Amino acid sequence: MAESKPLAITINTDGSTHIKDDTIRAFNEIHSSSQRMRQQMVDIAQHAFKRAQAQDWATQMRFLVIREPSDRIERPTTLKGRETSEQSDTSQGPLTSVMRNLTLELASASALVAGSAYVAVSYCWNREEVDWFTDQKTLRIDVVRPGDDSSPSMVPLDVLHRSVTHAIQQGVNAVWIDQECINQKDDDQKEAAIQVMDIVYQKAAHAIAVLETYLETEAEITALASVFDEDDYPFNPTQMEVLADVLTDLCNDAWFSRAWTLQEATSAGVTMVLLIGCNPNVSKPAFFGTTPGEIAISIWDFQQAMVIVRNIIEDCLATGLCANESTAIQASNCAEVLYNYVPTIYPESRIKDTSHRQTCSAAEAFTFLDDRENSHFPDRLAILGNLCNYEKRLKSCVLDVPSHAFTTCALVLATINGDMSLLVGYGGNVISARDKNSPGAWVFDLARDGRSHLDVFVNDDSDSCSINYGFSWGPKPTGRLHDIQYFDDNGHGYRLTPATISENGWKIRGVVWHMVYSIAVPQTQNSITARWMQELETQRVKMWDIHQATKRSELLAQDFIWTLLHDLVKLGYYHLPKTLWNFFQPWGKTDYGLDSYEAPIPYPFEQVFGRSAEGKEQGKLFEIGEDEYIKSHLRVGTLLVDVESEVYRTPSSTRVLIEQISQTGSIICGAQLKSSGCSEPRVFFDGCKQGDLVFTPFTAPGDGAARSLYGAQAMSWKVSRTGKIAEECEILHCFGRRSGFWRMDDLVHTNYILE
């Protein structure tokens, strides 16, 4: 790691010496030139460190260990969990203890009763005591700190009391609360702690979120219960107004608006429990927990309940059962907001796998952070690292000066961790017109650069380096972090490894392809051209129904790909058709019965086409007639293009391929540059001429990315060789991204530097 350079501290116009929120400013507004941005990125990268250096703090965590309370008040609960102050017969159920006076001792992990079991508490700092917590005047909780006498806690009394009560209910004798368990006077300890805060919540035996929301009446509790258990608590349309009020109160709860609580909830996972205050004298369902005055709901159940709310209201509106339609719409909107407060960022096949570490891409993280607040803005660099589970981190305490741009710091943090998501997604190519001189071709307008749905990783069809800022692979100059888009809820899977930034550029591993081959496929051209011309005419003149058009184009694409694959195999090729098969083959099934690229491959190329790498024919291993089934389940890209559509505005690689073959009768493809073994062609990329070079980075999922959402995205770069060497690596210059079909599982990956 290069030695850190001293930073010159400047003063903002408001007198602040902290880094500022510049996420609404474009890169070319923040930096007056591409060179200045490049230099600052290099400077920032010098302050990177491996998170393992901060993880030592996690091994020395301190906890608030619960001493035996000196005073208890026993409240009975029924066996069914319905609590009431009117019941005095203890035979109706177990007694629940409520502490009046309590002492907590700040101690190391050795003091924990159940090994490493503790309750991690998520709550909002700098808030007042809630007015509904009436016991606060009669309660006292003291904290014994090393070397100090007993003194009142710095944490709001209701938060501490509710957290300790929950811990005792779970049989745990310790809680972790950042305000007490991190030495707030030690800047070094605070810096180390915020870099591993996600680990604290991930490793907790129980993670809880202490909300300020309070439900006073039985009507409020019953209305909320109706969206958690539709069988025992069926929803009645007359409850709509009460339900809308409850959901509105939850929407306004500060916990849902803070940046730190977002990363705490994400790190803890779907089992984190939300604690909602309620009247202890009103009965509640057993599934809301047994703690008096508390409703306990896991985030997973909470999010599913918000889906139920939307379904219930949709049915009520459709059947005319809502007395007040505006109230129903208000409740539905609140449910949607609450559902989306916490991102569902884990693979579908692992929904119930609570041990799975949730994580996301930087673009998704900023999308959710956009509406969140935190008192010390520079902490967002640590929050970003925690949300994305980055191995490398930036020293936010060192970079916290106004001479450094927060947006640029975030970009560096993402790229040194191989996260490409902040390089794109600020607006992409927009189809402006059809090229009259070339039927089926489209002209791209690179001038527009705004926010556009799903227009994320798209081709940059220009050989001009002016479309990138900082580096030849950098973002567009007019991109703003505030406008970032993401397209995949599992973006962490596509991380480039390894990745470092220096004055020479971005050092990453991958393969350079030489697009030197042109393979004639006359059989495919003859069989598909007439149908393709008819399809183009249909798309041009007919206002088509999207469902019919999608099905029609899918059938054409499947016939085209199936014919092309057989054509290439008959011509004696192995690697190129196998690459195409890797992208188009049917999905496999997971143990959960879901289609997924992570599932075993159901139809290996060699079995389907009876061809081995050595060119030897081998028997097909599936039943007669199954080939039609396979063809009908090929995962082909759409052939549709619609200027007005957010989804179909960019031609797919499948469409580009069919256009190329129908017009020229051949396919331009490539093989690895300087290949030491077989040089047979194996890749195809959009917008390439013979002789072009394309660089594809190596990623964590390897060729599995072809079967994920990333398969259709422009993850490679058109490049040129500069003739320069640095850090024992060849330096390449980028000319924009390229989508296509690639496969490099059995090839040697080389380190390159993209300048």
Side-chain angles (χ1 to χ4, degrees):
M1 188 72 64
E3 183 178 354
S4 299
K5 296 180 179 179
L7 300 178
I9 298 180
T10 59
I11 306 297
N12 287 303
T13 55
D14 60 0
S16 170
T17 59
H18 295 294
I19 195 171
K20 301 295 289 185
D21 179 3
D22 53 17
T23 55
I24 62 172
R25 300 180 65 196
F27 289 106
N28 60 3
E29 294 174 338
I30 297 172
H31 304 283
S32 59
S33 70
S34 180
Q35 181 59 36
R36 286 181 179 272
M37 176 170 166
R38 176 180 181 136
Q39 186 56 53
Q40 183 161 122
M41 290 180 69
V42 173
D43 292 343
I44 292 169
Q46 293 180 351
H47 298 282
F49 67 96
K50 291 187 177 180
R51 187 161 80 143
Q53 298 172 4
Q55 289 176 330
D56 289 341
W57 176 87
T59 64
Q60 304 172 25
M61 287 171 56
R62 299 186 302 175
F63 303 88
L64 292 177
V65 178
I66 304 168
R67 289 186 176 179
E68 184 66 24
S70 58
D71 186 20
R72 292 178 183 264
I73 292 179
E74 308 293 349
R75 285 179 179 166
T77 60
T78 67
L79 289 174
K80 292 185 178 181
R82 289 181 171 274
E83 55 179 73
T84 171
S85 60
E86 298 176 358
Q87 292 174 314
S88 58
D89 183 2
T90 58
S91 64
Q92 295 295 314
L95 290 174
T96 301
S97 297
V98 179
M99 292 72 63
R100 282 300 184 192
N101 296 295
L102 188 67
T103 298
L104 305 175
E105 181 178 359
L106 194 61
S108 65
S110 61
L112 272 59
V113 169
S116 59
Y118 61 92
V119 171
V121 183
S122 175
Y123 71 105
C124 294
W125 275 43
N126 302 321
R127 73 167 176 82
E128 302 295 329
E129 301 280 0
V130 291
D131 54 11
W132 55 264
F133 192 68
T134 56
D135 287 340
Q136 61 189 356
K137 294 182 180 179
T138 57
L139 284 173
R140 179 179 175 84
I141 300 181
D142 292 329
V143 175
V144 178
R145 303 176 183 86
D148 293 340
D149 295 330
S150 176
S151 59
S153 172
M154 296 180 287
V155 180
L157 189 59
D158 67 286
V159 172
L160 197 55
H161 185 270
R162 295 166 70 189
S163 302
V164 170
T165 301
H166 186 84
I168 292 176
Q169 289 277 347
Q170 302 300 323
V172 177
N173 77 322
V175 297
W176 188 93
I177 301 181
D178 52 4
Q179 202 166 359
E180 284 286 358
C181 298
I182 301 174
N183 186 349
Q184 302 299 322
K185 299 178 182 179
D186 188 331
D187 291 338
D188 291 337
Q189 184 178 141
K190 286 197 295 182
E191 173 71 18
I194 65 174
Q195 299 290 355
V196 293
M197 197 61 60
D198 54 326
I199 296 179
V200 174
Y201 289 86
Q202 180 188 356
K203 298 299 183 182
H206 307 277
I208 61 173
V210 182
L211 276 58
E212 298 175 62
T213 302
Y214 179 73
L215 305 186
E216 172 69 28
T217 67
E218 184 174 5
E220 291 174 325
I221 296 174
T222 303
L224 185 62
S226 68
V227 298
F228 282 87
D229 188 340
E230 298 176 275
D231 295 328
D232 292 341
Y233 294 86
F235 179 79
N236 190 311
T238 60
Q239 297 175 298
M240 188 67 72
E241 184 173 353
V242 177
L243 179 61
D245 289 341
V246 170
L247 296 179
T248 300
D249 287 345
L250 286 168
C251 275
N252 293 330
D253 196 297
W255 187 85
F256 289 107
S257 66
R258 297 297 189 266
W260 275 115
T261 57
L262 171 67
Q263 70 96 39
E264 290 160 3
T266 304
S267 303
V270 295
T271 57
M272 174 179 254
V273 171
L274 304 179
L275 297 185
I276 301 171
C278 67
N279 188 338
N281 298 316
V282 175
S283 63
K284 65 177 181 179
F287 54 76
F288 278 164
T290 59
T291 303
E294 204 78 84
I295 292 174
I297 311 168
S298 74
I299 283 184
W300 170 259
D301 290 336
F302 183 81
Q303 286 190 308
Q304 297 311 300
M306 296 306 102
V307 174
I308 293 174
V309 170
R310 299 292 303 277
N311 293 337
I312 287 175
I313 293 175
E314 183 178 339
D315 291 342
C316 287
L317 291 174
T319 55
L321 295 177
C322 293
N324 189 326
E325 186 173 308
S326 62
T327 300
I329 293 174
Q330 175 191 349
S332 180
N333 290 341
C334 286
E336 182 176 12
V337 169
L338 289 167
Y339 177 86
N340 287 302
Y341 265 139
V342 180
T344 312
I345 46 180
Y346 40 82
E348 288 295 321
S349 61
R350 296 175 178 171
I351 284 177
K352 286 296 187 179
D353 182 1
T354 58
S355 64
H356 175 64
R357 172 65 164 91
Q358 299 188 64
T359 187
C360 62
S361 69
E364 183 178 7
F366 275 112
T367 301
F368 281 91
L369 284 170
D370 196 37
D371 297 323
R372 299 272 183 154
E373 303 173 355
N374 59 294
S375 57
H376 188 55
F377 190 80
D379 286 350
R380 292 204 169 206
L381 289 175
I383 294 173
L384 174 63
N386 292 339
L387 285 171
C388 299
N389 196 23
Y390 286 151
E391 177 187 355
K392 299 176 184 177
R393 301 301 179 95
L394 291 177
K395 297 177 181 178
S396 55
C397 60
V398 177
L399 295 172
D400 184 15
V401 291
S403 58
H404 279 78
F406 173 81
T407 291
T408 311
C409 289
L411 177 63
V412 171
L413 179 59
T415 51
I416 63 176
N417 283 282
D419 184 346
M420 294 174 60
S421 64
L422 297 189
L423 299 180
V424 292
Y426 303 101
N429 299 335
V430 179
I431 299 173
S432 57
R434 183 188 295 273
D435 186 348
K436 297 179 180 179
N437 298 321
S438 179
W442 295 82
V443 178
F444 290 89
D445 177 11
L446 291 174
R448 175 176 170 178
D449 194 1
R451 193 171 192 173
S452 57
H453 178 59
L454 291 181
D455 203 7
V456 181
F457 289 98
V458 294
N459 290 335
D460 288 328
D461 290 338
S462 171
D463 287 343
S464 170
C465 61
S466 62
I467 61 173
N468 300 100
Y469 217 58
F471 292 88
S472 64
W473 46 267
K476 294 185 177 182
T478 53
R480 303 186 304 164
L481 201 57
H482 177 73
D483 293 340
I484 195 69
Q485 289 278 302
Y486 73 96
F487 76 97
D488 185 6
D489 288 340
N490 190 21
H492 67 286
Y494 201 91
R495 297 270 173 90
L496 313 188
T497 56
T500 59
I501 291 178
S502 69
E503 60 184 10
N504 297 307
W506 193 18
K507 183 179 179 181
I508 52 179
R509 191 193 318 163
V511 173
V512 174
W513 312 103
H514 195 191
M515 307 298 292
V516 71
Y517 297 94
S518 179
I519 300 177
V521 283
Q523 181 177 336
T524 304
Q525 183 188 34
N526 293 336
S527 67
I528 212 71
T529 300
R531 291 179 62 188
W532 175 236
M533 291 297 104
Q534 182 181 358
E535 172 66 20
L536 287 177
E537 184 64 18
T538 303
Q539 292 186 24
R540 186 179 70 85
V541 302
K542 187 176 181 180
M543 295 297 291
W544 30 267
D545 175 84
I546 190 62
H547 299 293
Q548 292 181 356
T550 300
K551 185 61 178 177
R552 185 186 68 241
S553 73
E554 181 183 42
L555 292 174
L556 174 58
Q558 287 171 341
D559 286 343
F560 163 67
I561 294 300
W562 192 247
T563 302
L564 176 61
L565 289 170
H566 282 280
D567 203 357
L568 290 170
V569 170
K570 288 179 181 178
L571 290 171
Y573 294 100
Y574 170 81
H575 287 289
L576 181 58
K578 184 172 182 179
T579 296
L580 296 175
W581 181 251
N582 198 33
F583 279 78
F584 295 120
Q585 63 183 301
W587 288 110
K589 296 281 187 182
T590 66
D591 293 339
Y592 297 85
L594 300 175
D595 293 335
S596 173
Y597 76 92
E598 296 179 315
I601 298 174
Y603 301 103
F605 174 80
E606 291 77 8
Q607 294 182 12
V608 175
F609 295 94
R611 179 75 63 177
S612 67
E614 294 77 21
K616 298 177 181 178
E617 293 192 11
Q618 53 189 49
K620 297 181 180 181
L621 301 181
F622 54 86
E623 298 178 0
I624 297 177
E626 196 170 356
D627 54 345
E628 276 299 319
Y629 172 86
I630 296 173
K631 184 179 75 169
S632 66
H633 285 76
L634 293 177
R635 298 177 296 105
V636 292
T638 181
L639 300 180
L640 302 178
V641 171
D642 180 14
V643 177
E644 304 299 327
S645 171
E646 295 287 1
V647 179
Y648 301 113
R649 63 170 51 176
T650 304
S652 67
S653 293
T654 307
R655 180 180 175 119
V656 173
L657 184 60
I658 195 173
E659 286 180 349
Q660 183 178 122
I661 292 177
S662 64
Q663 293 172 20
T664 68
S666 61
I667 174 175
I668 296 175
C669 48
Q672 183 179 16
L673 183 67
K674 298 187 302 185
S675 175
S676 58
C678 177
S679 59
E680 182 184 317
R682 67 160 67 203
V683 297
F684 169 85
F685 290 98
D686 299 359
C688 286
K689 305 182 296 293
Q690 273 190 277
D692 284 348
L693 298 177
V694 176
F695 173 77
T696 300
F698 175 77
T699 65
D703 289 335
R707 298 188 297 276
S708 71
L709 289 177
Y710 288 92
Q713 309 304 317
M715 296 298 182
S716 302
W717 283 274
K718 181 181 175 182
V719 298
S720 66
R721 306 177 78 175
T722 66
K724 296 182 289 187
I725 301 292
E727 305 173 46
E728 300 182 348
C729 300
E730 181 177 0
I731 298 179
L732 305 174
H733 186 87
C734 298
F735 292 104
R737 294 179 303 278
R738 291 290 183 273
S739 58
F741 311 113
W742 75 93
R743 182 175 56 88
M744 52 182 176
D745 51 1
D746 56 344
L747 300 179
V748 176
H749 313 132
T750 305
N751 285 331
Y752 290 92
I753 293 179
L754 308 184
E755 68 171 12

